Amino acid sequence: MIKNEEKCTCMPADKYCLTVAEAAGYFEIGPKKIRQLAEEHMDDGIFIRHGVKLLVIRPAFEKFLTQTSQI
């Protein structure tokens, strides 16, 4: 058992998965819009759920944004 757990202080650009709040700040898109996109594209390999937490797969979301003309 680890008693002194250290939180990762990685920058969002270094992470594979981002929380909605991290993704909103990193991509400058509102959290409501990210959640809406997640509902529409949950089966596209861009978003995953970890329990009740929604995570954004950063490389897949970056690719999605470059291929999308309007969000």
Side-chain angles (χ1 to χ4, degrees), residues 48-60:
I48 57 173
R49 290 220 179 261
H50 183 263
V52 296
K53 185 187 290 187
L54 176 66
L55 297 174
V56 180
I57 301 173
R58 186 189 47 79

